[in-house]
């Protein structure tokens, strides 16, 4: 019997299972954060802002788990046998960019909390970082965070388009691989 956390790995879901769940959770979260900012929810009161913040915390947790998993074990799948050499390289670069970009979004969010003038709490309860009150650095971190997120959103759209193209044009089941089984009959 192993020691530490290794003893409990059999209790965790299979890697593909949690990647499917992560994909399913990230799609609506990404769309939400592309179209809804903290300034949009503030007029609706503290409860709406807290809800938005809890969604951000869930998003960041998934980002960090996904990034750490990639850094530890690499990509979960192969590009697929029907892709040509250029498309294979594009596939790998696209996936690595998204995964590392998700980690970068989490990192710049941490930097926003670190450079803030007051203690920011994710979900209204989890301190992000000790506030150092560095307004210039906070402005830079905020700008990077925003641009990074929207660029990542554009890359995700390219990613989705690439997989839809693969599924329709190459008929390689690219969408079925990550979709839950109950959706397979529609793909």
């Amino acid at each position: 019997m192993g020691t530490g956390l290794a003893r409990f790995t059999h209790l965790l879901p299979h890697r593909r299972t949690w990647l499917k769940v992560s994909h399913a959770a990230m799609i609506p979260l990404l769309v939400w954060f592309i179209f809804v900012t903290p300034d949009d929810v503030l007029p609706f009161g503290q409860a709406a802002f807290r809800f938005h913040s809890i969604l951000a915390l869930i998003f960041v947790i998934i980002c960090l788990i996904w990034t750490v998993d990639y850094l530890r074990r690499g990509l979960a799948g192969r590009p697929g046998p029907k892709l040509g050499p250029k498309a294979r390289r594009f596939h790998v670069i696209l996936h690595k960019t998204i995964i590392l970009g998700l980690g970068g979004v989490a990192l710049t969010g941490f930097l926003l909390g670190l450079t803030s003038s007051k203690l920011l709490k994710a979900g209204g309860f989890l301190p992000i970082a000790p506030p150092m009150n560095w307004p210039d650095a906070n402005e830079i971190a905020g700008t990077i965070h925003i641009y990074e997120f929207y660029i990542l959103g554009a890359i995700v759209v390219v990613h989705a388009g690439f997989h839809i193209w693969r599924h329709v044009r190459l008929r390689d089941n690219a969408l079925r691989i990550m979709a839950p089984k109950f959706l397979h009959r529609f793909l």
Side-chain angles (χ1 to χ4, degrees):
M1 188 104 207
T3 61
L5 293 176
R7 292 188 306 191
F8 301 103
T9 56
H10 70 282
L11 298 174
L12 297 174
H14 189 268
R15 186 179 190 199
R16 281 241 187 250
T17 302
W18 71 258
L19 281 174
K20 286 182 181 188
V21 171
S22 296
H23 267 93
M26 291 301 264
I27 293 167
L29 288 171
L30 186 70
V31 170
W32 173 267
F33 290 116
I34 285 173
F35 293 108
V36 181
T37 67
D39 290 339
D40 294 330
V41 296
L42 275 173
F44 296 100
Q46 282 301 315
F49 183 77
R50 189 170 294 116
F51 174 75
H52 184 78
S53 185
I54 288 170
L55 290 179
L57 179 59
I58 293 167
F59 184 82
V60 167
I61 289 169
I62 296 170
C63 289
L64 290 174
I65 291 171
W66 212 331
T67 303
V68 168
D69 177 72
Y70 163 71
L71 292 173
R72 187 170 165 258
R73 302 195 289 182
L75 291 175
R78 300 175 312 277
K82 293 185 179 180
L83 292 176
K86 288 182 182 178
R88 283 176 182 254
R89 276 193 300 278
F90 182 68
H91 176 274
V92 170
I93 290 168
L94 195 60
H95 283 85
K96 288 180 178 181
T97 301
I98 291 170
I99 295 166
L100 294 174
L102 290 171
V105 167
L107 175 65
T108 55
F110 168 77
L111 291 176
L112 272 171
L114 183 67
T115 59
S116 178
S117 60
K118 62 182 182 178
L119 180 64
L120 301 178
K121 294 181 179 180
F125 63 90
L126 182 66
I128 295 173
M132 303 304 286
N133 194 18
W134 297 331
D136 293 338
N138 187 263
E139 184 70 29
I140 292 167
T143 301
I144 292 170
H145 186 70
I146 290 168
Y147 279 99
E148 176 183 35
F149 180 77
Y150 286 107
I151 289 169
L152 186 63
I155 293 169
V156 166
V157 169
V158 171
H159 166 78
F162 178 72
H163 282 289
I164 291 168
W165 170 80
R166 284 179 61 184
H167 185 79
V168 172
R169 179 77 174 193
L170 302 178
R171 299 185 185 279
D172 71 352
N173 292 323
L175 298 180
R176 282 192 185 102
I177 292 168
M178 292 312 297
K181 282 199 191 255
F182 72 90
L183 293 177
H184 286 195
R185 64 183 168 177
F186 303 111
L187 299 174

